[in-house]
């Protein structure tokens, strides 16, 4: 078999992973994509590791039951908490996302990089290991950002609340002379216009979704599991949260109206 038209499953604690889904859609136009927003349990950033790992396994099981050929964990927090377990439990390709420390260290001129992420990601063993492996050549300032992903969950991409939070989290990094800023949570790319306003044109922003999408393409290509070029691509969206609240937020973030389905109760 040289192609595989089964869907790719993508999930996040909520709507943040749509920043990754958009990139995958742009790079792989023939693929069918299934997206799960675990909004009923968001944010993951302040939940215990075991809970996140359990949710990640339950959602992966659901996506497998929908016929997924690969899973993209479009959440830094869930990747740090659960990807090793997921790879042990499930035999299909599982692609994760982590803060782009390596490219940031390669790009910085000031030698100081900032990382915005959830508290769970910053405190994780996986992040400590990432810094050990790739963060030695620069000063890495990891800033936990409680409350920021919630703004995106509510569709609040500008206004006083996200502005105040971003000021609080970014000013100390700017004072310490960062010239490179890593978006270490998939919700944050949706706040880029606001972030740019605060950090100005001299600080580079790194969003790892392009690297994740490339990695997904490489893996599927290697396995001869990309969809046919004449395949009818589609998309389905599911949430464990409130459909009425989440559907307009997803439609707004994607810039088009989508249909949102409730995640079946068993999940
Ligand atoms: N989007 C998630 C991430 O990439 C986490 C947001 C949250 O649920 O706290 O880390």
């Amino acid at each position: 078999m040289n192609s595989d038209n089964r869907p790719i499953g993508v999930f996040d604690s909520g709507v943040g992973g749509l920043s990754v889904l958009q990139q995958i859609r742009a790079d792989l136009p023939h693929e069918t994509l299934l997206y799960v927003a675990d909004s009923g349990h968001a944010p993951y950033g302040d939940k215990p590791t075991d809970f996140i790992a359990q949710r990640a396994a339950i959602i992966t099981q659901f996506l497998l039951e929908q016929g997924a050929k690969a899973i993209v964990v479009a959440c830094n927090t869930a990747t740090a908490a659960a990807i090793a377990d997921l790879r042990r439990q499930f035999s299909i390709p599982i692609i994760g996302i982590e803060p782009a420390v390596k490219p940031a260290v390669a790009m910085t001129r000031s030698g100081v990089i900032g990382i915005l992420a959830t508290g769970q990601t910053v405190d994780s063993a996986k992040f400590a290991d990432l810094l050990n492996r790739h963060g030695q050549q620069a000063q890495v300032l990891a800033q936990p950002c409680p409350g920021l992903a919630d703004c995106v969950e509510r569709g609040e991409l500008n206004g006083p609340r996200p502005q105040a939070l971003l000021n609080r989290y970014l000013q100390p990094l700017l004072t310490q002379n960062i010239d490179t800023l890593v978006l270490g949570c998939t919700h944050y790319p949706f706040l880029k216009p606001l972030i740019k306003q605060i950090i100005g044109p001299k600080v580079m922003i790194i969003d790892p979704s392009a690297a994740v999408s490339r990695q997904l393409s490489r893996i599927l290509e290697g396995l001869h599991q990309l969809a046919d070029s004449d395949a009818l691509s589609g998309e389905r969206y599911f949430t464990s949260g409130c459909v009425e609240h989440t559907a307009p937020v997803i439609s707004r973030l994607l810039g088009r109206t989508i249909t949102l389905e409730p995640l079946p109760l068993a999940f």
Side-chain angles (χ1 to χ4, degrees), residues 12-14 16-17 42-46 74-78 97 118 121 149 184-187:
D12 177 45
S13 61
Y44 281 177
D46 59 8
C75 176
N76 293 263
T77 311
I97 185 165
T118 67
T121 297
C185 166
T186 53
H187 282 70

Side-chain angles (χ1 to χ4, degrees), residues 18 58-59 93 104 119-120 127 129 162 170 194 201 204 210 223 228 230 241:
L18 295 167
I58 288 171
I59 295 167
Q120 256 289 345
F127 185 64
D129 178 55
L170 287 168
L194 207 48
M204 284 171 298
L223 293 168
D228 283 327
D230 55 358

Side-chain angles (χ1 to χ4, degrees), residues 29-84:
H30 306 296
E31 300 291 339
T32 291
L33 306 176
L34 307 176
Y35 185 86
V36 175
D38 198 14
S39 326
H41 302 94
Y44 281 177
D46 59 8
K47 302 282 187 308
T49 306
D50 287 355
F51 177 82
I52 301 167
Q54 203 183 355
R55 288 304 303 159
I58 288 171
I59 295 167
T60 300
Q61 183 61 39
F62 168 74
L63 290 166
L64 271 175
E65 288 176 22
Q66 309 308 306
K69 63 185 170 187
I71 301 291
V72 178
V73 184
C75 176
N76 293 263
T77 311
T79 299
I83 199 148

Side-chain angles (χ1 to χ4, degrees), residues 5-254:
N5 293 341
R6 288 177 301 159
I8 296 166
V10 182
F11 76 89
D12 177 45
S13 61
V15 298
L18 295 167
S19 60
V20 180
L21 177 126
Q22 276 178 318
Q23 186 66 49
I24 296 171
R25 173 46 76 227
D27 295 343
L28 297 172
H30 306 296
E31 300 291 339
T32 291
L33 306 176
L34 307 176
Y35 185 86
V36 175
D38 198 14
S39 326
H41 302 94
Y44 281 177
D46 59 8
K47 302 282 187 308
T49 306
D50 287 355
F51 177 82
I52 301 167
Q54 203 183 355
R55 288 304 303 159
I58 288 171
I59 295 167
T60 300
Q61 183 61 39
F62 168 74
L63 290 166
L64 271 175
E65 288 176 22
Q66 309 308 306
K69 63 185 170 187
I71 301 291
V72 178
V73 184
C75 176
N76 293 263
T77 311
T79 299
I83 199 148
D85 285 353
L86 292 180
R87 287 183 176 142
R88 263 192 299 273
Q89 286 176 59
F90 301 98
S91 54
I92 59 170
I94 298 181
I95 293 96
I97 185 165
E98 60 186 9
V101 173
K102 194 178 174 188
V105 169
M107 278 166 91
T108 181
R109 299 257 178 280
S110 70
V112 191
I113 68 172
I115 300 179
L116 301 184
T118 67
Q120 256 289 345
T121 297
V122 170
D123 291 341
S124 68
K126 202 161 189 309
F127 185 64
D129 178 55
L130 183 68
L131 290 188
N132 268 335
R133 280 184 292 124
H134 300 298
Q136 302 293 343
Q137 310 301 321
Q139 189 185 349
V140 181
L141 307 173
Q143 174 65 56
C145 303
L148 204 53
D150 303 271
C151 291
V152 180
E153 280 302 303
R154 289 189 299 263
E156 219 181 319
L157 307 183
N158 41 47
R161 204 161 9 193
Q163 195 142 19
L165 286 174
L166 279 169
N167 267 318
R168 188 190 311 159
Y169 299 142
L170 287 168
Q171 287 310 338
L173 305 181
L174 293 170
T175 308
Q176 291 178 80
N177 201 26
I178 59 159
D179 68 350
T180 309
L181 180 68
V182 176
L183 303 185
C185 166
T186 53
H187 282 70
Y188 305 162
F190 291 111
L191 297 165
K192 242 193 222 169
L194 207 48
I195 294 174
K196 276 191 180 154
Q197 258 177 43
I198 297 171
I199 62 175
K202 291 198 185 124
V203 179
M204 284 171 298
I205 297 180
I206 303 185
D207 164 9
S209 22
V212 171
S213 178
R214 268 200 307 277
Q215 170 75 349
L216 170 68
S217 307
R218 257 196 306 266
I219 288 178
L220 290 180
E221 195 174 2
L223 293 168
H224 307 288
Q225 281 187 345
L226 284 167
D228 283 327
S229 55
D230 55 358
L232 284 178
S233 69
E235 280 160 30
R236 285 180 76 187
Y237 297 88
F238 301 88
T239 184
S240 59
C242 170
V243 171
E244 286 72 27
H245 287 156
T246 311
V249 176
I250 294 185
S251 297
R252 171 155 177 233
L253 295 179
L254 292 178

